[in-house]
């Protein structure tokens, strides 16, 4: 069984989707630790509620990003994590962290990448006048929201949409593709070939 560490910064609905899938036996992996960089993250409570180790590591405790990421890496190592899932984790990693966990970090992003990278992607899509947006899961590389794409799901944008209404439409799709991507990884069904992720179903 693959061991999963989930990194969060906020409300944790994607984490919840993973926990629920695990409890139904649909994840093919075990969430062994949840790490938050924000003290107020509700995701921490979601983890504790089901008895998963929930650890707070804030940037302010460390002199620089290197030391901060090293502490996160140390915790992930100590839990013998095979896969790192970013479920609403709102920080960039140092290169050293990404090298250590290369091809083993999955992120979920609320746009059809490569469009609308970075924060507030749903608001960016509306501002741009896009008629379709959606969500993507991808492996994490050095550049933000730019690694090989695993899965995507398109969602329509309606004329009266706001960032909030679009976010609400995208979120359940994020939950689905994230759970599915993690399951495929845990079942060893994802192969990265350059920019391309091949799914062996
Ligand atoms: C999601 O939209 C995720 O794609 C983005 O931040 C949001 C986190 O939501 N990066 P939650 O904390 O999983 O509820």
């Amino acid at each position: 069984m693959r061991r999963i560490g989930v990194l969060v910064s906020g409300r944790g609905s994607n984490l919840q989707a993973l926990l629920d899938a695990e409890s139904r036996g649909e994840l093919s992996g075990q969430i062994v630790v949840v790490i938050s960089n924000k003290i107020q993250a509700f995701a921490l409570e979601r983890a504790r509620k089901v008895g998963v180790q929930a650890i707070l590591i804030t940037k302010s405790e460390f002199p620089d990003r290197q030391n901060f990421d090293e502490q996160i890496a140390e915790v992930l190592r100590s839990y013998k994590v095979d896969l790192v899932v970013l479920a609403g984790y709102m920080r960039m990693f140092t290169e050293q962290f990404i090298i250590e966990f290369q091809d083993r970090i999955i992120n979920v992003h609320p746009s059809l990448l490569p469009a609308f990278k970075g924060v507030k992607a749903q608001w960016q899509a509306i501002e741009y006048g896009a008629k379709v947006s959606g969500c993507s899961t991808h492996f994490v590389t050095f550049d933000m929201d730019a690694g090989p794409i695993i899965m995507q799901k398109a969602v329509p944008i309606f004329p009266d949409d706001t960032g909030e209404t679009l976010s609400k439409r995208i979120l359940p799709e994020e939950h689905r593709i994230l759970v599915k991507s993690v399951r495929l990884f845990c079942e060893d069904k994802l192969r990265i070939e350059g920019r391309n992720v091949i799914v062996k179903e």
Side-chain angles (χ1 to χ4, degrees):
M1 189 76 102
R2 293 298 173 93
R3 298 171 65 81
I4 304 166
V6 184
L7 269 55
V8 295
S9 300
R11 97 198 124 174
S13 70
N14 277 286
L15 168 68
Q16 191 66 57
L18 293 167
L19 290 168
D20 292 347
E22 183 186 345
S23 74
R24 291 193 303 266
E26 290 171 10
L27 204 56
S28 307
Q30 187 190 0
I31 299 171
V32 292
V33 65
V34 170
I35 302 173
S36 172
N37 67 326
K38 295 282 177 203
I39 189 165
Q40 69 277 16
F42 184 62
L44 287 167
E45 284 180 45
R46 295 183 193 262
R48 289 188 186 120
K49 201 168 161 209
V50 291
V52 171
Q53 283 297 318
I55 298 174
L56 174 69
I57 306 175
T58 60
K59 167 74 184 60
S60 59
E61 300 165 60
F62 300 89
D64 53 34
R65 292 174 63 218
Q66 257 72 27
N67 283 268
F68 172 64
D69 274 9
E70 173 51 29
Q71 181 58 35
I72 293 178
E74 184 52 38
V75 171
L76 294 170
R77 263 178 238 130
S78 73
Y79 280 87
K80 298 190 178 0
V81 158
D82 302 301
L83 170 67
V84 181
V85 178
L86 312 184
Y89 181 68
M90 307 304 273
R91 270 195 77 88
M92 290 288 289
F93 290 113
T94 53
E95 293 201 1
Q96 206 182 331
F97 185 96
I98 290 174
I99 290 166
E100 174 163 357
F101 294 97
Q102 200 187 357
D103 300 344
R104 297 192 291 139
I105 312 172
I106 292 177
N107 183 39
V108 61
H109 181 76
S111 77
L112 291 178
L113 291 171
F116 313 125
K117 295 172 180 169
V119 293
K120 294 231 154 200
Q122 306 92 327
W123 283 258
Q124 291 183 51
I126 288 181
E127 179 70 27
Y128 197 84
K131 304 296 182 248
V132 174
S133 191
C135 49
S136 311
T137 54
H138 65 94
F139 285 105
V140 172
T141 52
F142 296 139
D143 298 322
M144 183 179 62
D145 298 328
I149 291 168
I150 304 167
M151 296 185 72
Q152 293 187 301
K153 175 75 187 179
V155 164
I157 299 178
F158 300 123
D160 56 354
D161 263 335
T162 61
E164 283 81 9
T165 58
L166 179 58
S167 299
K168 260 197 190 155
R169 194 171 309 119
I170 293 174
L171 195 61
E173 303 300 345
E174 288 187 41
H175 298 163
R176 277 186 211 112
I177 65 169
L178 183 61
V179 166
K180 189 148 189 225
S181 300
V182 169
R183 180 169 65 239
L184 288 170
F185 180 95
C186 290
E187 292 175 348
D188 217 12
K189 288 181 176 163
L190 298 179
R191 202 176 67 239
I192 305 173
E193 282 184 10
R195 277 225 52 91
N196 211 4
V197 179
I198 317 279
V199 181
K200 307 175 275 175
E201 291 236 49

